[in-house]
Amino acid sequence: MRPRRCANCHDDSMAGKGEMPRLAGQREDYHVKALRDFRSNARRGRGNAVMVELVETLTDNDVNLLATYLSRLP
């Protein structure tokens, strides 16, 4: 199962598309930091409003699980 909302911008394979970065295979600690920074609105950049909205309700456990999942994709 691929996270549906992520696929809207990052492609079904999480390989990224256009200006949206690749998520598949990135380091788990990178994903954890990025998701926590989006959640706290500490990460600045294009598309932040969407990311903040998507991750604001994630628990730390959710963040860790999502990071693990994304890091293990080919």
Side-chain angles (χ1 to χ4, degrees), residues 6-69:
C6 300
N8 288 339
C9 295
H10 296 279
D11 194 48
D12 287 338
S13 66
M14 301 299 138
K17 63 181 178 181
E19 295 178 5
M20 296 303 156
R22 174 182 188 80
L23 300 180
Q26 298 293 340
R27 289 182 13 200
E28 190 170 337
D29 62 324
Y30 164 80
H31 286 300
V32 168
K33 179 169 179 12
L35 290 166
R36 287 182 179 166
D37 285 352
F38 279 121
R39 188 176 62 185
S40 70
N41 208 17
R43 191 166 178 146
R44 303 282 181 223
R46 191 174 190 172
N48 266 25
V50 171
M51 285 299 300
V52 168
E53 181 183 335
L54 290 174
V55 301
E56 68 186 352
T57 61
L58 295 180
T59 65
D60 284 340
N61 189 55
D62 294 335
V63 167
N64 292 332
L65 290 170
L66 183 56
T68 299
Y69 171 77

